[in-house]
Every structure is written in structure tokens, then in C-alpha cells.
Amino acid sequence: MLELIVISTLNGVLYGMLLFLMASGLTVIFSMLGVLNFAHASFYMLGAFFGFQISRWFGFWPALLIAPLLAGAIGAAVERFGLRRVHKNGHVAELLFTFGLAFAIEEIVGIIWGKVPVDYRQPDILDFPAFTIFSTNYPAYKMFMLAVSVVIFIALLLALKRTRIGLIVQAALTHPHMVGHLGHNVERIFMLVFGVGTALAAVAGVIAGPSLVTQSNMAALLGPILFVVVVVGGLGSLPGAFIASLLIGLLQTFAVSINGSLASLFGPLGPDLAATWLNDIWNVTIAQIAPIMPYLLLVLILIFRPMGLLGTRET
Amino acid sequence: MRKTLLAAVAIALPMLGSVAAAQETVKIGYIDPLSGGGASVGEGGLKTFQYLADELNAKGGILGKKVEIVPLDNKTNPQESLIQAQKAIDAGVRYVTQGNGSSVAGALSDFITKYNERNPGKEVLYFNYAAVDPILTNDKCSFAHFRWDANSDIKMEALTNYMKDTPAIKKVYLINQDYSFGQSVRSTARAMLAKKRPDIQIVGDELHPLLKITDFAPYIAKIQASGADSVVTGNWGQDIALLLKAAADAGLKVNWYTYYAGGAGGPTAIKQAGLDHKVFQITEGFANVDHKASQDYEKAFRAKVGLSLWYPRAVNEMRMFAAAAEKAKSLDPIKVGKALEGMKFEVLDGGEGFMRADDHQFFQPIYISSFGEIKPGQFDEENTGWGWTQVAKVDTPQTIVPTTCKMDRP
């Protein structure tokens, strides 16, 4: 049992940190533009595919550096030449723009790399068990993923809270006009934030690609969860996104390891439902509904705390 | 005047084209996932069928007509499959083949049965090469549906017979995909193990979403904690490859009793985990079956396609289709269907099989094999240096199970 708890905690924290890498950019962009960037998960996918391609040519370590820069540059270009123009036509246009972009990126990736998973391997140097708890090995590559995301989280926090640029970004989020009047180029700040946000998603893609599956539908699989993280954490709140990411990571991982169902909870006291349609609901285990838990959380949060855990606005 | 003439030509040209094409080719609609989680198996299947079509065409086609495979991507989704089936039928396809996902197969069989009722004279046949939910040849059987893979009950019967004689098995963990097929594997495994080895304890019984999980680590941790010594799973596609990969990463040492561990990615993960002859699968054939003709075939297939032959049943399907058309001297689906009923056939991996007329289930010898080190000169998989070795063979008569099918015949 203890073994299961330790391993599940590690897996949950790791999944949560990966979610955070993506959600951090999304939540900042969200509060900046006021709309959800549906294409955000697509940059995670671009990161994974760039990482795959570059690691084929130059090896994994250059890929870890180049792929996010490349994806970030594309992200910045999307903001500069796409979103900024669309912005004039209002939120709905922006929303539709990012929606269309997500589909376009998925199709383009499918055309270039095919729709079948690509063979993106972890570097050999990290292909060994990091440690063994009880009888379970924990792969070194997963520890590496965890380390990278923790380092980035700390760097991000320091950059936002302790540097001048961070201060200006924070100010621009809430009072863009005032920041503009003070002589700062607000548009360039937005482009920078968009670029950095998409680059962070790409980092998640590069490191998650070999461990999960790199294929052209990976963005669609992960996209919805990201919105849950952002809404649960509170729009525009980095600490909120961090807590929500870990919460959802742990929730999903632990839900998988729980066998309980209504039937086992009430045991022999339960009514005889064997022949009725209720039988299915009665016997479904928590593990089976693990994948829908985050969405359940989303619904509950929207009902009882619409501003999210650490959010400040009502929208 | 000129306008009407142009319009007439514009309408007539494509019609002429399609009539001419319909006369020259036999189109087989291949409806399977070519994108998403099932794509790795869907692509392999497509290459196999294209190879088989080329092979038939090299011998002059079927009744002198060229065989053409029309690939249609269903994304492992029943609704999408029906759209693709309609598209195929509109393009002149009278034969469709599909294999991945019994949820898809059920919808497709229903759709084609209804289509045939409403469109007499334009019937379509559905050749199922891999969807093994028993219901398709029992309560929901149809004249339009023919199945070449052994159904799940047949496979589980053989697998549990083998497990029965393995005293080391004490604690079994079941993990399956959460849809009709996975649920059928789970309940049959429970029922058969309880009957044959009441001393075996079922320590876990898991259903997970179909082709949606990208990291099985949480499930593996649970299997590890349960103390299981054996896992039984009907997982296919990326769900078996990623499950084995996560087991390899965690160093989980159990015996695996599977339907599809040999699918793309599976062998690589087994080698990585070092599970030498601890992973078993049950199939109608494999590369190292002791049968010269099929080994020669495997060699030629690998040389041309660059993959292992994962679907010997597809070879049987296409060859029997050709034989049935020759026998009926017609490509009319109803006549071909009637010719297929009861047909006896020497299968690729040796031995005689037959298509039971009562329910359109094909019966054939099946094999249990294990993956690990091989003798020099044998076939390996995915360049691992390891391959499949036979541990048991079940002859055709022992695979026959009763059916509840009451078929409406045209």
C-alpha cells in the first residue's frame, strides 16, 4: 500500500508539473488577451515534433534547447502577425482564430510527420532506473522531467517577481494603458509573453514526447485538461495554475489506484440492482471514472467558486 | 446550346469514368484507423491488404478484374466509420473490410445489414479480419458479416486451458479496454478461470479508456501493489505497447497472457523489460510456425513491406474471397457470400479451416506462443533479436464453440 502511495505521488506530481509547464503560459496569455488560446496545446505538440526531428539530426540535448526557441519564435510570430490584427475585431474573432490555428497545426503536423506515432526515444544516458522503492523501479528519465519542470518553475517565478521585466509584465496585465503611458512598448511585451508562453509549452512537449506518445492528435488529447487547470487555478494566476496542475495530476493518478465503487462502499446493504440499468452505475469503480475527474472538478469550481482557487476576477 | 452540351459532357464524363472503373476493378473499402491512437495498427493493416491486392493482381486479379484497396480513415470511431462506409458505397465499393475495434465492427455490421435490406440488388459484404467480440457471430450475427479471426471466447478458452496447467499461477490481474470487447474479455476470463482453476485469485480487475491513455505508470503501480504474478489482457494497438512499456520502465516482473502483445511496439517493450518468454500471445499464426510455406511467405512479406506479417488471417480472408468469387463465377456479393458459407480452406500457417455457415465464424488452428530468445535462423521482431516460439497449438476441431446465431438469409 505504502509503495502504491509513494509511486502514485511521484507519478501525480510529475504529471502535474508537466501540466503546469503548459498551463503557466496559457494562464498568463489568457489574462492578457482575455480569451482562451485554443492553439496552446498545439505548441506543446510542435515542441514534441521539433524535439523529435532535431534530436534525429543533432541529438536530444540540442533539441531541448532549439525546439522551444523555434516554437516560441513561431508563437511570437502568431501573436505579432495574426492575433494582433484579429484583436481589433473583438474576442470572438480571436477565439475563432486560435481555434482554427489549432486545427491547422494538427493537419500540418499530420502532413509532415504522418498520423502514426513517431519513434521519439529518450536519450540513452537517461535510460536506467533512478532508484527502486520496494520492488518498483522509477525511471531516471522521469526524474529528469521532474527536475526540468521544477527548475523552470523556479526560474519563471524569480523572473516575474524579482526582475524589472517581470514587474512590467505584471503591470501590463492589469493596467496596459498606464504602462503604455509610462513609455513602455506594451505590444512588444504581449508578443514576448506569448512567445515565452508557447516556448514553455514546447519545453513540455520536448521532454514529454519520448515518455508519452508523440503523434498528431496529442494536442487534442491534452488541450481540454489545460483549460481545466487554468479555470480551476484562477485566470491569470500563476500560483493558482501551479496548485491546480498538481491537484489535477494527483487527482487523476490516485483515482486510477482506487478500486472503490458504490457497490463496495455499501456492500451487502446495497439494494438488489443486478437486473436494472442502475447496476452499471452501482458497480463502476473510481478508477474507471478517473479520466473524467478533472472535468467534474471544473464543473464544481465553476458552480461554487467561479473565480477559481486563487483568481481575483469573476470572469 | 453550347452550355447544355458542356453540361451534358460534364455530367457524362465522370459517370463514364466510374462505370469503366467499376468494370475493371474490384474495390475493397478498408475502413480502419489511419490517425489517432489506433493508427499504428491501422497503417500496418493497410500495408498488408495492399500487399495482398498486389499479389492477387500479379496472378490476374479476381475473375480477371484488378483488386483495389480503398483506404478510409475511421479514427477508431463508430460514427466516423459509418460515414466512411457510406462514402465507400457511393464510390462503388461492394466489399468492405475492417478489424480494429469491436465497437466499430458492431456499428458497421448493423449499418451494412440495414443497407442491404433497403437496397436489394446492391448488397455489400463486410469482411471482419480482427474484431473479436463474440456477439458479432452470436446475437448480432448477420449474413453480410464474415469473421476470419477466432472470436474472443475461443481465444480465452485456449488461453485458460494453457493457464490451467501452469501451477505457478496463483494471483491474476485483469486489465482491459473499457468497451464491448474489453468487457467481454474480462467477464470470460473471470468465468473460465473460476471454473478451471478455482484456486486462482483475481487480485485486480481494471477497465481503462480505449486508446486514450498515454502513460500507464499509475496502472502498473497498482498491478505491482496487488502482488499479482500474472496479467491477462485483451489490449491492442498502443494500449498494449504502452502498457508493456510502462511495465518495462517500472521493472514489473509478471507473466503476461495477452491477445495482441505482438502488435507494433509490443516486442520492443518486452525486450526492454527483459521478460524472456514471460509474455504469451494467442494468434492464428506467427512468423516461426513450423510450416515451410508460411515461413517463405513471411520472408517475402518482410522483404517487400518492411513489417512482420501481423495478420495471417488477412491472407486467408483475401485468398478465400478470391476462391469464393471463382467458385460462384461472379462478383455479386450475395453469390460470393453463399459461396463462402461452409467453405473449407487450407490456411496460410498450415491446417484446414472452415467458414461455419451458421454464424459466418471462421475456425482454424490457433497457437499460443511466447516471446523471447530464439534459435539461430528464426524470425525476430522489430530488430530486437527476440522472436515468438510456439508453446501450444489448438487444432481446428478443438476451437469450435456453439453459437446462438439465427441468421436471416437473402
Side-chain angles (χ1 to χ4, degrees):
Chain A
M1 195 61 205
L2 185 64
E3 174 184 15
L4 185 61
I5 291 172
V6 173
I7 294 285
S8 293
T9 309
L10 274 171
N11 284 329
V13 168
L14 175 61
Y15 183 52
M17 288 307 288
L18 274 181
L19 283 181
F20 174 72
L21 276 188
M22 285 175 271
S24 55
L26 184 61
T27 197
V28 172
I29 292 168
F30 197 164
S31 53
M32 184 177 82
L33 296 174
V35 291
L36 272 176
N37 175 13
F38 276 102
H40 199 73
S42 306
F43 287 94
Y44 156 74
M45 175 167 74
L46 277 183
F49 276 95
F50 286 165
F52 160 71
Q53 200 59 52
I54 296 167
S55 64
R56 272 279 165 92
W57 291 334
F58 308 111
F60 180 80
W61 303 108
L64 185 58
L65 192 70
I66 301 170
L69 290 178
L70 214 56
I74 293 175
V78 162
E79 200 281 334
R80 174 68 187 79
F81 302 107
L83 268 180
R84 199 177 295 179
R85 287 164 192 238
V86 177
H87 184 65
K88 299 186 187 91
N89 304 325
H91 281 346
V92 175
E94 282 179 294
L95 202 68
L96 290 175
F97 173 80
T98 62
F99 201 65
L101 189 66
F103 280 107
I105 292 178
E106 179 170 338
E107 286 305 317
I108 291 168
V109 164
I111 289 166
I112 298 177
W113 285 282
K115 297 200 161 179
V116 179
V118 296
D119 184 21
Y120 184 11
R121 304 241 176 120
Q122 56 201 41
D124 289 339
I125 191 171
L126 289 171
D127 193 7
F128 63 94
F131 53 85
T132 307
I133 337 176
F134 309 100
S135 56
T136 305
N137 294 337
Y138 206 75
Y141 188 74
K142 287 200 162 174
M143 290 310 290
F144 165 75
M145 286 163 75
L146 196 59
V148 169
S149 26
V150 169
V151 166
I152 287 180
F153 170 65
I154 293 170
L156 199 64
L157 210 61
L158 288 179
L160 271 178
K161 299 279 177 202
R162 293 275 181 271
T163 65
R164 201 176 149 70
I165 289 187
L167 276 180
I168 298 170
V169 167
Q170 286 191 62
L173 291 180
T174 47
H175 301 87
H177 293 293
M178 181 55 88
V179 176
H181 288 311
L182 286 173
H184 297 289
N185 188 339
V186 175
E187 291 197 327
R188 191 185 293 161
I189 292 170
F190 278 13
M191 187 176 83
L192 180 84
V193 170
F194 206 94
V196 172
T198 49
L200 284 179
V203 172
V206 178
I207 61 174
S211 169
L212 306 178
V213 185
T214 306
Q215 60 186 2
S216 63
N217 71 343
M218 63 195 288
L221 282 182
L222 210 73
I225 296 270
L226 286 188
F227 299 137
V228 177
V229 171
V230 169
V231 173
V232 170
L235 304 186
S237 163
L238 264 188
F242 180 70
I243 292 171
S245 301
L246 286 184
L247 186 67
I248 286 168
L250 289 170
L251 183 70
Q252 261 198 310
T253 315
F254 272 98
V256 163
S257 50
I258 297 171
N259 269 330
S261 63
L262 286 173
S264 62
L265 191 63
F266 294 105
L269 292 174
D272 186 20
L273 297 167
T276 70
W277 57 273
L278 276 171
N279 185 37
D280 275 348
I281 298 173
W282 196 247
N283 282 312
V284 80
T285 63
I286 298 200
Q288 259 173 284
I289 56 165
I292 61 161
M293 297 285 254
Y295 304 102
L296 209 60
L297 185 68
L298 173 75
V299 171
L300 292 178
I301 285 278
L302 283 175
I303 292 173
F304 295 108
R305 199 178 157 80
M307 74 287 276
L309 292 178
L310 296 184
T312 44
R313 302 196 291 204
E314 279 286 331
T315 47
Chain B
M1 182 61 209
R2 192 189 263 171
K3 248 184 193 166
T4 33
L5 197 69
L6 269 180
V9 170
I11 293 166
L13 270 181
M15 279 173 70
L16 277 175
S18 66
V19 169
Q23 279 165 354
E24 283 160 16
T25 62
V26 191
K27 286 188 190 174
I28 298 175
Y30 175 83
I31 304 178
D32 256 323
L34 298 172
S35 65
S40 56
V41 281
E43 286 271 335
L46 178 58
K47 284 181 185 155
T48 308
F49 275 98
Q50 276 164 343
Y51 178 87
L52 292 165
D54 290 347
E55 188 183 60
L56 283 171
N57 291 336
K59 289 180 191 154
I62 300 177
L63 296 176
K65 289 179 184 170
K66 218 170 140 269
V67 182
E68 186 196 342
I69 305 293
V70 184
L72 299 151
D73 180 13
N74 72 358
K75 306 183 172 81
T76 332
N77 176 323
Q79 283 88 30
E80 184 68 29
S81 303
L82 302 190
I83 296 170
Q84 298 299 336
Q86 186 62 55
K87 206 165 117 188
I89 292 169
D90 291 345
V93 165
R94 306 286 300 274
Y95 297 93
V96 299
T97 193
Q98 179 274 345
N100 294 304
S102 290
S103 47
V104 171
L108 212 50
S109 179
D110 251 17
F111 173 80
I112 289 172
T113 307
K114 283 187 191 135
Y115 177 87
N116 289 351
E117 279 165 14
R118 290 171 194 153
N119 299 277
K122 290 182 186 169
E123 287 85 353
V124 175
L125 287 189
Y126 162 33
F127 295 159
N128 168 4
Y129 69 94
V132 297
D133 188 344
I135 202 165
L136 294 166
T137 46
N138 284 292
D139 296 355
K140 292 199 167 177
C141 68
S142 158
F143 178 80
H145 167 266
F146 290 83
R147 167 154 60 199
W148 269 270
D149 199 0
N151 79 37
S152 174
D153 287 354
I154 302 171
K155 292 188 183 199
M156 189 52 80
E157 183 81 52
L159 209 52
T160 46
N161 278 343
Y162 179 76
M163 293 172 75
K164 182 179 72 182
D165 301 328
T166 313
I169 302 177
K170 298 263 185 276
K171 290 179 175 179
V172 169
Y173 199 101
L174 309 172
I175 178 162
N176 288 292
Q177 295 151 323
D178 196 359
Y179 77 115
S180 59
F181 161 66
Q183 284 156 5
S184 147
V185 170
R186 157 208 215 190
S187 52
T188 329
R190 269 183 175 277
M192 289 182 175
L193 283 175
K195 205 169 81 195
K196 294 173 188 174
R197 276 285 301 274
D199 61 309
I200 286 183
Q201 205 188 335
I202 309 280
V203 292
D205 187 353
E206 199 77 60
L207 289 173
H208 64 76
L210 173 66
L211 300 176
K212 290 243 159 39
I213 310 279
T214 49
D215 186 6
F216 276 95
Y219 294 95
I220 294 297
K222 204 170 161 187
I223 297 176
Q224 184 82 285
S226 75
D229 55 48
S230 304
V231 177
V232 175
T233 176
N235 280 15
W236 54 270
Q238 72 172 34
D239 280 344
I240 184 73
L242 296 176
L243 182 65
L244 287 167
K245 187 178 163 199
D249 283 345
L252 178 69
K253 299 275 180 221
V254 295
N255 286 314
W256 293 81
Y257 295 90
T258 76
Y259 282 19
Y260 303 115
T268 306
I270 303 169
K271 177 74 195 287
Q272 192 198 340
L275 295 169
D276 191 8
H277 290 295
K278 282 170 153 307
V279 181
F280 301 85
Q281 72 168 4
I282 178 148
T283 53
E284 78 288 4
F286 57 98
N288 292 320
V289 166
D290 188 18
H291 182 248
K292 174 110 180 25
S294 67
Q295 293 206 2
D296 290 346
Y297 196 86
E298 179 83 27
K299 200 172 281 171
F301 185 87
R302 288 189 180 196
K304 181 142 180 244
V305 183
L307 292 171
S308 312
L309 179 62
W310 172 234
Y311 296 114
R313 49 192 182 266
V315 181
N316 299 334
E317 172 188 316
M318 290 293 274
R319 286 180 173 178
M320 280 176 75
F321 171 42
E326 309 275 334
K327 190 172 138 197
K329 297 194 179 57
S330 165
L331 273 163
D332 177 63
I334 297 290
K335 288 180 185 154
V336 170
K338 294 221 161 121
L340 274 173
E341 288 195 324
M343 181 185 261
K344 289 195 165 70
F345 190 79
E346 172 79 16
V347 298
L348 176 72
D349 289 274
E352 189 176 79
F354 72 98
M355 178 62 77
R356 184 159 70 184
D358 304 341
D359 59 347
H360 295 185
Q361 168 70 51
F362 188 62
F363 291 93
Q364 60 203 318
I366 48 179
Y367 304 85
I368 298 175
S369 49
S370 67
F371 191 74
E373 295 200 5
I374 42 172
K375 296 188 198 88
Q378 286 189 310
F379 291 105
D380 73 339
E381 302 292 331
E382 297 184 348
N383 298 319
T384 54
W386 283 10
W388 294 99
T389 306
Q390 180 173 326
V391 296
K393 179 183 178 186
V394 187
D395 285 315
T396 311
Q398 278 81 52
T399 65
I400 297 170
V401 290
T403 175
T404 58
C405 171
K406 292 187 186 65
M407 194 178 287
D408 291 326
R409 287 195 167 69

